[in-house]
Amino acid sequence: MILKLKPIPSLEITPRDVYLRRREFLGGALAAAVAGVLPWGAAAAAAAPLAFSKSVFSTDEPPTPKADATSYNNFYEFGTRKTDASNYAGALKTSPWSITIDGLVSKPATYTLEDILKPVSLEERIYRLRCVEGWSMAVPWIGFPLSALLSRVEPLGSAKFVAFETVVRPAEMRGQRGWFQTLDWPYREGLRLDEAMHPLAILAVGLYGETLPNQNGAPVRLVVPWKYGFKSIKSVVRISLVEKQPVTSWNMLDRDEYGFYSNVNPEVDHPRWSQKTERRIGDGSGLFARRHPTLPFNGYGEQVANLYAGMDLMTYF
Ligand SMILES: Nc1nc2c(c(=O)[nH]1)N[C@H]1C(S)=C(S)[C@@H](COP(=O)(O)O)O[C@H]1N2
Ligand SMILES: [Mo]
């Protein structure tokens, strides 16, 4: 195994352990977070330091250099080149920000980002994100379990899937205007409800100790580490609990190339290229870049394979 993921002891962790671990790592910024003074105020455009604890869910691999993780991005709302997001995403106004949660829930709501963050504690999780294009990065995300937010709105028994949408703002997102329409906006993604409730699925609001830069999906984006990167939808404004499998942007573009599940799987090639290996961003480039074997479920199989027991992963790719 290349990627060493520590086992998930979450259910064994006592509140006291969590408390002690948090005390160990939290700096002075904790006081601000506890008081509800989060750095997403009116003028929080620049990166602000975040208070967080370290998570037992992290891989123990060294993170990709921050300069690479924040300049080599896919964010088609700003263009299709890897540098477009870091060059143009500054135009997106990320404060104020709110997320509407609707559909099959007992308590539909529109929460501001501050409302969302008040009851949760942030943790840093170093996750590897594997892009369907054949590269990957290990990023120290700062976020909280998606399940915490979903539980708050009380999903109904009839809810089976969760649909996500990115903001639509052509005036601020150059990829949403003009002649070169790439995807059909809003960018849409989805998960089965049990996937969304899995403790590894997080909403991230920061990376490398600071609030998310716009190119990485500010102010709040999903990170689902066992799935190809395109499932990790950026700049989320709407989350809907639904009964039927929702449409997703890449699947709409080409259903043979991008499935709904999109679990990282070295055995299922993309129709135009192999998925067996990956290039690690920051690890040298060109012909001599080392390629690493891609792992089933991106290395998180022990934690998530049971979600797919009995499913043919060649059919449900
Ligand atoms: N809204 C939106 N979310 C998106 C994308 C996008 O184009 N638009 N690209 C996806 C893809 S293909 C990848 S690999 C990851 C990249 O995340 P990163 O730039 O933070 O590494 O974001 C995903 N989320
Ligand atoms: Mo990707």
Side-chain angles (χ1 to χ4, degrees), residues 13-317:
I13 298 174
T14 64
R16 188 179 145 76
D17 289 337
V18 172
Y19 172 76
L20 290 176
R21 187 158 334 110
R22 293 188 65 216
R23 280 223 359 208
E24 215 177 309
F25 291 105
L26 291 178
L30 172 65
V34 165
V37 190
L38 291 155
W40 283 276
L50 285 174
F52 57 87
S53 60
K54 303 262 183 190
S55 171
V56 292
F57 294 83
S58 290
T59 76
D60 48 17
E61 315 170 54
T64 300
K66 179 183 171 186
D68 293 307
T70 57
S71 64
Y72 188 91
N73 303 100
N74 275 334
F75 200 166
Y76 275 39
E77 284 84 339
F78 297 100
T80 55
R81 285 170 300 191
K82 299 293 176 235
T83 48
D84 283 342
S86 53
N87 284 335
Y88 302 112
L92 178 67
K93 198 167 162 271
T94 60
S95 176
W97 195 268
S98 51
I99 299 184
T100 296
I101 313 184
D102 58 11
L104 304 171
V105 296
S106 338
K107 299 183 169 167
T110 295
Y111 291 122
T112 64
L113 188 58
E114 291 79 0
D115 288 336
I116 289 170
L117 293 174
K118 241 171 240 166
V120 300
S121 41
L122 297 179
E123 0 178 283
E124 179 184 78
R125 298 191 180 188
I126 305 172
Y127 277 171
R128 179 160 290 285
L129 183 140
R130 168 57 158 87
C131 179
V132 73
E133 295 164 340
W135 49 267
S136 69
M137 305 190 195
V139 176
W141 304 105
I142 297 171
F144 62 93
L146 171 62
S147 64
L149 180 59
L150 295 179
S151 306
R152 239 173 119 178
V153 295
E154 299 177 7
L156 301 175
S158 49
K160 298 285 181 271
F161 292 89
V162 187
F164 302 84
E165 287 180 14
T166 295
V167 72
V168 179
R169 286 203 203 142
E172 296 171 23
M173 301 175 121
R174 66 191 283 279
Q176 290 182 339
R177 52 180 196 257
W179 55 272
F180 65 107
Q181 285 299 320
T182 46
L183 297 171
D184 193 17
W185 314 113
Y187 190 99
R188 274 160 276 199
E189 259 311 332
L191 296 171
R192 229 169 46 194
L193 182 57
D194 59 337
E195 298 179 315
M197 295 301 285
H198 191 280
L200 281 177
I202 59 168
L203 286 171
V205 294
L207 43 65
Y208 300 87
E210 296 178 339
T211 50
L212 277 181
N214 284 11
Q215 59 268 34
N216 294 92
V220 55
R221 59 91 58 85
L222 186 68
V223 187
V224 191
W226 69 95
K227 293 178 179 280
Y228 289 116
F230 64 85
K231 301 296 281 185
S232 292
I233 183 172
K234 296 177 170 182
S235 307
V236 173
V237 288
R238 185 165 175 210
I239 300 178
S240 308
L241 285 276
V242 296
E243 194 180 336
K244 301 236 163 67
Q245 183 175 302
V247 296
T248 62
S249 292
W250 289 96
N251 185 254
M252 275 158 52
L253 185 75
D254 193 327
R255 57 168 62 240
D256 299 324
E257 300 200 356
Y258 311 100
F260 174 79
Y261 282 91
S262 294
N263 292 317
V264 174
N265 190 345
E267 302 307 319
V268 177
D269 288 337
H270 184 280
R272 292 182 283 142
W273 59 81
S274 161
Q275 292 293 19
K276 286 196 174 13
T277 63
E278 66 203 57
R279 178 171 65 90
R280 301 200 158 171
I281 301 302
D283 194 23
S285 59
L287 274 180
F288 303 104
R290 213 176 125 204
R291 295 200 69 95
H292 299 256
T294 285
L295 300 173
F297 300 108
N298 199 23
Y300 301 89
E302 257 176 65
Q303 288 76 28
V304 301
N306 63 322
L307 292 172
Y308 311 101
M311 280 174 70
D312 176 359
L313 298 180
M314 305 293 275
T315 306
Y316 297 99
F317 64 92

